[in-house]
Structure formats: structure tokens, C-alpha cells
């Protein structure tokens, strides 16, 4: 479990693909110093498990499903990634509850700079559109953000200077692809409504 508050910008030093998976190595002095074998680390929003580490790096395995669902499949050495260690019981919940189980990806549609912020518009796939609401929470590449506006096939977030400098989101350009994770509460509500609707339909047909 994570909070979406990025603790460090890491740098990918190796991406080793296999037949149906891959192994990623990230240089991350802060994360590596506070992590142990088997610990979870959010890598640009994707929850990965530490399988090896050194003084300033860690390695994790990436399964085929993760590669298919996220942007990690396009990872190459030298790429920067957002990192967050799993939250500890008793920590402040500075962002929102983030699982590291992404729903898919979105593309940057536009960037609009304000006096001290940047509004970024992203594409919104039909299968997750119902889970994204104005003023609701969303994680983009692991960063906890608030949806500032939403349409039928897009949503926007407003990035403050700290987010622009402390995460990879400051380097986004139109056409870039990011990982998104919708709010866990919205997921459960959608599931409850779907089950309730199906039960009602089945009951009326008896």
C-alpha cells in the first residue's frame, strides 16, 4: 500500500527482457537504503517486489501482465522513474490510498501553463471513465493527484511547482504515455453497483 507521495526520482540502469517477463534494475540511493529483500516499491505507479539490491540500487521482476498493462514495457536504461516505498502503519496519509495496481495507461493530450502551475489533459479510456470524477483522487505514474476537470474521454490535473520538479511529470510532453490508477473506493462502488444491477435483473426474470 502506498500514498502517492513520491520519495525519490530513480534512474533505470538495466532492463533485461525474457520470453514473457523482464527484470528491472533501478539506481535509487534513498529507496535502496531503506528497503529489504521482498519489500514492495512503487515504480512509476507499479508495485514491484525487491529481489536483489545493493547500496544504491535494487532489482525487481516484472511479469507479462504488468508489461502489457503499464508503460514499463517501453522502459530503457537511463529513464527516470518515480519511487515510493510501501507505507508504514502510523504514517501520515499525505496523498490517498494507492495500491500500485494500475488500471492501464493514458496519453498526454495537452499542456497549459499558468502563472505557477501546469494543467495537463490526459486521455480517458471508456472502461475506466466511470471511475474518474472531478475533485476525486487519481494516481499518475504513482503520483497522488486531484482531478481538476473531466470529460467523456479526457481528464485534467493541475500540477504545482513541487510536483513538476520532484517527479517525472514535469518532463511530460504531448503524446507521452503514463500509468494511471483510479481511486480504490470508486472501484468498489462500481463493482457493488454492477452486482446489485445484475441481481435485480436476474430476480425480475424469475
Amino acid at each position: 500500500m502506498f500514498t502517492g507521495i513520491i520519495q525519490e526520482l530513480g534512474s533505470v540502469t538495466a532492463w533485461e527482457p525474457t520470453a514473457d517477463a523482464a527484470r528491472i534494475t533501478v539506481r535509487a540511493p534513498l529507496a535502496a537504503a531503506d528497503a529489504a529483500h521482498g519489500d514492495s516499491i512503487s515504480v512509476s505507479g507499479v508495485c514491484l517486489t525487491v529481489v536483489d539490491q545493493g547500496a544504491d540500487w535494487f532489482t525487481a521482476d516484472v511479469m507479462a501482465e504488468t508489461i502489457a498493462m503499464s508503460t514499463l514495457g517501453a522502459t530503457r536504461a537511463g529513464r527516470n522513474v518515480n519511487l515510493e516505498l510501501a507505507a508504514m502503519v502510523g504514517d501520515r496519509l499525505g496523498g490517498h490510498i494507492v495500491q500500485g495496481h494500475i488500471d492501464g495507461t493514458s496519453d498526454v493530450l495537452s499542456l497549459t501553463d499558468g502563472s505557477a502551475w501546469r494543467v495537463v489533459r490526459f486521455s480517458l479510456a471508456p472502461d475506466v471513465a466511470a471511475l474518474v470524477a472531478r475533485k476525486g483522487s487519481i494516481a499518475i505514474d504513482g503520483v497522488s493527484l486531484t482531478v481538476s476537470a473531466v470529460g467523456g474521454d479526457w481528464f485534467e490535473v493541475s500540477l504545482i511547482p513541487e510536483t513538476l520538479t520532484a517527479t517525472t511529470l514535469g518532463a511530460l510532453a504531448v503524446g507521452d504515455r503514463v500509468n494511471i490508477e483510479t481511486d480504490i473506493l470508486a472501484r468498489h462502488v462500481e463493482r457493488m453497483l454492477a452486482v446489485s444491477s445484475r441481481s435485480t435483473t436476474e430476480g425480475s426474470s424469475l
Side-chain angles (χ1 to χ4, degrees):
M1 195 72 71
F2 308 93
T3 69
I5 304 300
I6 302 306
Q7 298 164 329
E8 182 179 16
L9 273 177
S11 178
V12 176
T13 59
W15 174 263
E16 305 166 66
T18 60
D20 61 352
R23 177 162 283 197
I24 186 173
T25 300
V26 180
R27 184 182 181 280
L30 294 179
D34 198 24
H37 183 88
D39 281 355
S40 296
I41 297 181
S42 171
V43 179
S44 287
V46 180
C47 179
L48 298 179
T49 301
V50 175
V51 297
D52 195 9
Q53 67 184 121
D56 63 352
W57 59 271
F58 70 89
T59 295
D61 290 323
V62 186
M63 298 297 96
E65 173 70 8
T66 302
I67 293 172
M69 287 286 294
S70 73
T71 61
L72 289 188
T75 296
R76 298 293 181 269
R79 176 183 175 181
N80 288 335
V81 289
N82 297 320
L83 300 175
E84 181 189 356
L85 291 165
M88 299 176 65
V89 175
D91 279 356
R92 289 186 176 90
L93 188 60
H96 70 284
I97 296 174
V98 178
Q99 294 180 297
H101 304 159
I102 69 165
D103 294 295
T105 61
S106 290
D107 297 325
V108 177
L109 299 179
S110 66
L111 302 101
T112 305
D113 285 326
S115 59
W117 66 88
R118 179 174 299 161
V119 177
V120 186
R121 178 172 290 194
F122 297 92
S123 62
L124 185 59
D127 59 332
V128 296
L131 305 178
V132 180
R134 183 174 178 270
K135 302 301 183 182
S137 297
I138 193 165
I140 299 177
D141 275 354
V143 183
S144 174
L145 297 166
T146 300
V147 177
S148 55
V150 63
D153 60 357
W154 59 267
F155 71 94
E156 290 180 346
V157 296
S158 298
L159 306 180
I160 62 174
E162 175 66 15
T163 304
L164 293 171
T165 58
T167 76
T168 60
L169 302 189
L172 289 177
V174 172
D176 285 349
R177 184 160 292 178
V178 297
N179 298 317
I180 65 166
E181 180 185 334
T182 57
D183 184 36
I184 184 174
L185 297 179
R187 293 180 187 178
H188 282 296
V189 169
E190 182 190 46
R191 175 61 177 167
M192 290 168 62
L193 291 174
V195 171
S196 176
S197 177
R198 186 167 64 248
S199 299
T200 301
T201 301
E202 291 173 351
S204 64
S205 65
L206 295 177

